[in-house]
Structures are given as structure tokens and as C-alpha cells.
Amino acid sequence: MQPLIDNARTFGQRPEEFAELAGGQSPQALFITCSDSRVVPALITGARPGELFELRTAGNIVPPYDSPHPTGEAATIEYAVEVLGVRDIVVCGHSHCGAVGALVRGDDLTAVPAVRDWLAHATPRPVGAAEDPEVAEGVQSHVLTQLLRLRSYPCVERKLARGGLGLHGWYYEVHTGTVRTHRPQTDTFEAL
């Protein structure tokens, strides 16, 4: 923890770098990704403060819009699209994902009921080789499912219909740093 504290102490010693951020934000994209500590959106994209609006959830799950209770995830998506006017949404899954791996393997999650109940939102269950530690196939199919789920959000649906929004599926390889994007023409994930 000490290195984090040390950096936080010195971070605010450059106020001139951050002064303009007080005027508001105008991010280029909403970046939906996993809470995994190995996935750092600003590091992957090179984004500076104010350029990415992030939504991080276990397993980069986008819950159904019509949930019985409003969710923080739905509020974040709606705010990014309607208020901030993002032009792109990226759903970025990653290799070695514990959440998707648990789903692919059918792990018993009774010891972590909140995790189990959250992962139930990942329907249909991702498919892939249970013995693959990267869970590449499972993560990639899961990313595509989340993109479909996004299309059911009224704000996303409206903006897509007007041509004012792009949806992108990415797969980040933790072990190589490579980012692959889904190419709808070939239905494959290829290096950016």
C-alpha cells in the first residue's frame, strides 16, 4: 500500500496539469471492463484524465436494462450516452478472467453468494474450453453478449438508430498486452 500512498501524496503537486478538468468532462468513450486489477483502461488506451468514462464490473457484465431496480451500471451507461454524449462504447473483456472462467467451468459459487448472484446476469452462460486458463473463447463470446445487451438500453438504441454511437468489442490479453477487436465482417477478434 505504501507505494500507492506515496504516489497519491505527490500526485496533487502538479495542479496546473489538472486545472482545466474542473470545468467539466467530455470523454471520448465509455469503457466497460472488468474490475480485475490487471486491466487498466488508461494504460491500455493511453487516455488522459477526462478522455474515458469508465464502468468496471466483475466480468464486465452489462445487466439487463429492465431490471426490477435501477442499477448503477444502467445509470452510468445512460449518463455517458445522454448527458456526456460519448460517441463510442467499448466493452473490453480480458484473458484469464476469473468471473468468466467460473461461468465456463460451472464453478460452485455458494461460498460467495453476491458474486454468484451477480454472475447470473451473464446469461447466456459463456461457452469455451473449461481447461483453457486464458478462457479466450468464453471471454470473447461474453463480450459479444454484453454488446447485444447494450443494444437493448433505450438510450443506446436511440443513438445507434441516429448513427451517433459506435459499439466496439475488445479482448485484452493480460499475458501479452495485445488488444484484439471484434470484426463483424468476419466474426473474429483481430489485433488492433
Side-chain angles (χ1 to χ4, degrees):
M1 185 71 186
Q2 194 57 50
L4 302 175
I5 293 169
D6 293 341
N7 189 67
R9 283 185 179 132
T10 61
F11 192 72
Q13 294 177 2
R14 304 181 310 264
E16 65 282 353
E17 293 182 36
F18 301 101
E20 69 182 52
L21 295 174
Q25 61 176 320
S26 184
Q28 297 175 29
L30 169 61
F31 199 91
I32 301 172
T33 194
C34 187
S35 302
D36 191 298
S37 63
R38 300 167 293 179
V39 180
V40 183
L43 189 62
I44 294 167
T45 63
R48 301 281 303 143
E51 294 179 342
L52 280 183
F53 199 64
E54 294 180 24
L55 173 58
R56 298 183 67 139
T57 68
N60 54 270
I61 292 173
V62 175
Y65 182 79
D66 59 0
S67 295
H69 305 289
T71 66
E73 296 80 19
T76 299
I77 293 163
E78 191 173 77
Y79 188 80
V81 171
E82 296 290 356
V83 177
L84 297 176
V86 298
R87 306 261 316 144
D88 292 282
I89 300 176
V90 175
V91 175
C92 181
H94 67 94
S95 68
H96 305 87
C97 181
V100 174
L103 291 166
V104 167
R105 291 184 302 273
D107 290 355
D108 178 6
L109 300 174
T110 54
V112 284
V115 173
R116 178 197 61 219
D117 294 349
W118 172 250
L119 294 182
H121 288 298
T123 56
R125 186 173 136 190
V127 296
E131 66 280 356
D132 176 13
E134 293 178 35
V135 287
E137 182 184 1
V139 170
Q140 290 172 10
S141 71
H142 177 67
V143 164
L144 297 179
T145 299
Q146 302 320 296
L147 287 172
L148 284 174
R149 176 86 47 80
L150 271 172
R151 291 178 176 277
S152 72
Y153 278 59
C155 61
V156 171
E157 184 180 39
R158 281 191 302 274
K159 203 157 182 186
L160 283 170
R162 293 192 310 257
L165 187 65
L167 297 181
H168 312 274
W170 286 9
Y171 172 71
Y172 171 64
E173 293 180 346
V174 170
H175 55 291
T176 68
T178 301
V179 178
R180 300 184 182 283
T181 188
H182 181 254
R183 305 274 186 216
Q185 307 85 334
T186 59
D187 195 27
T188 58
F189 280 80
E190 299 173 13
L192 284 174

